[in-house]
Amino acid sequence: FQAEDGIRDLVRSRGLGDVYKRQSLDDLKKRITSVKSTQKITKAMKMVAAAKLRKAQESAEKGRPYSDKMHNIILNLSKNINDKENAPKLLAGSGKDNVHLCVVMTSDRGLCGGFNSNITKKAKSYFKKILDSGKELKIVTVGSKGFDQLKRAYKEHIIENISFKESKNVNYFDADKVGKMIIEKFEKGEFDVCTIFFNKFKNVITQIPQEQQIIPLKSEKSDDKNDVMNYEFEPEEDEILNNLLPKNISTQIFKAMLENSASEQGSRMSAMDNATRNAGEMVEKLTIEYNRSRQAAITKELIEIISGAESL
């Protein structure tokens, strides 16, 4: 309102105070109406996000044990392979790490706080390390918002943009499409290492950006004794891995999509809640300003009437 005060003083000095006050009151009334309309929209979006969050959170939590167990089984299988040189390429890799494929998974819709920017920030940090080391970078974006944020700085590195706007819910078929595309590019020798980026859902307020290498499969130390036990497999380990590894890639991508879905709704719910409260505070401030301006206008008119009556 400092700018408005300056304009008010300028208008008064030119003898146009009454006109300005009428316009100012009308403008304040319009702003109050506009903010209230926006508040209704943000409140409705918050309620929709809260309803979707329950189902998305449940799906994400149910998907974690399956993907983690599959990952651990593959690691157990890989430990029992005798001929490491002839191990499946999806497990052992190409033997090089010159070309890195980064799959950045974001949403197709905005108004969800820092959900998308947190993922791209994590990815950009990884991109910088790859480029600074002199290696080749290739990017696949899953979700239009990630593409929009990366195209300005990394447009020459983006080889494909995938969007699932038409899909109402996260499903395995979409994840399998991305997984098959990655495997196809790997078999053609287009990259050596593949890493996916997504947000892991913790709660409504907190979503943790993740960086997960899926080709070659990166082994991680586990404290769970059940995960490091040796099993006897039938048929041989190599045959099982040839069937299981492609499915594991699609499963890890599906898990990332489920985590993203829950994180997106949680972030949107939090953002819309903040927007609704901010709109309420703004309406209060504008209403006070409107009442003060209106009171000042009425007081001035009364003074003018009294002064006119006394002069008569």
Side-chain angles (χ1 to χ4, degrees), residues 95-310:
K96 301 179 291 183
D97 65 341
N98 298 328
V99 184
H100 286 250
L101 177 68
C102 297
V103 183
V104 183
M105 307 177 70
T106 58
S107 67
D108 288 307
R109 297 173 180 83
L111 297 176
C112 49
F115 168 75
N116 293 307
S117 58
N118 289 338
I119 298 174
T120 55
K121 184 178 179 180
K122 178 82 172 178
K124 286 177 180 178
S125 176
Y126 184 84
F127 298 164
K128 188 176 184 302
K129 290 191 295 184
I130 296 300
L131 295 175
D132 289 346
S133 61
K135 297 175 183 178
E136 186 178 350
L137 173 66
K138 294 182 179 181
I139 303 172
V140 173
T141 57
V142 181
S144 57
K145 293 301 176 182
F147 176 75
D148 293 340
Q149 293 187 19
L150 293 174
K151 66 181 180 181
R152 180 175 296 179
Y154 298 96
K155 187 175 182 180
E156 66 276 11
H157 298 287
I158 299 176
I159 60 174
E160 196 160 347
N161 175 38
I162 302 171
S163 176
F164 296 116
K165 284 184 179 180
E166 297 178 356
S167 298
K168 294 182 179 180
N169 299 312
V170 177
N171 58 80
Y172 182 79
F173 298 104
D174 292 339
D176 194 41
K177 290 178 184 178
V178 179
K180 288 179 178 178
M181 180 269 294
I182 293 172
I183 293 172
E184 183 180 353
K185 290 183 181 297
F186 180 72
E187 290 176 348
K188 291 180 179 178
E190 296 184 16
F191 67 89
D192 302 314
V193 180
C194 179
T195 307
I196 60 176
F197 298 87
F198 60 95
N199 261 338
K200 183 178 181 180
F201 178 81
K202 185 176 181 180
N203 52 50
V204 175
I205 301 174
T206 307
Q207 298 87 35
I208 306 171
Q210 299 290 309
E211 167 192 323
Q212 181 180 349
Q213 181 177 307
I214 57 174
I215 298 178
L217 193 65
K218 192 174 182 180
S219 61
E220 298 177 356
K221 293 182 180 180
S222 177
D223 296 330
D224 191 348
K225 294 181 179 180
N226 293 325
D227 293 339
V228 295
M229 289 177 61
N230 291 323
Y231 298 94
E232 292 185 1
F233 296 96
E234 181 69 30
E236 294 298 324
E237 287 83 356
D238 292 348
E239 187 177 346
I240 298 175
L241 284 171
N242 286 330
N243 293 323
L244 204 58
L245 283 168
K247 187 176 182 180
N248 178 61
I249 291 174
S250 297
T251 300
Q252 298 304 322
I253 292 171
F254 183 49
K255 179 198 73 173
M257 292 173 71
L258 290 173
E259 295 283 354
N260 262 3
S261 178
S263 298
E264 178 188 352
Q265 299 304 332
S267 183
R268 179 174 287 113
M269 179 181 169
S270 179
M272 291 301 103
D273 180 54
N274 292 333
T276 302
R277 285 190 279 106
N278 291 339
E281 293 175 2
M282 185 176 290
V283 168
E284 290 179 5
K285 291 179 181 179
L286 291 173
T287 302
I288 292 172
E289 180 69 16
Y290 175 80
N291 291 336
R292 285 177 178 174
S293 300
R294 185 169 175 270
Q295 185 178 5
I298 293 172
T299 303
K300 183 179 179 183
E301 290 176 0
L302 289 173
I303 292 172
E304 289 176 351
I305 292 170
I306 295 170
S307 299
E310 288 179 351

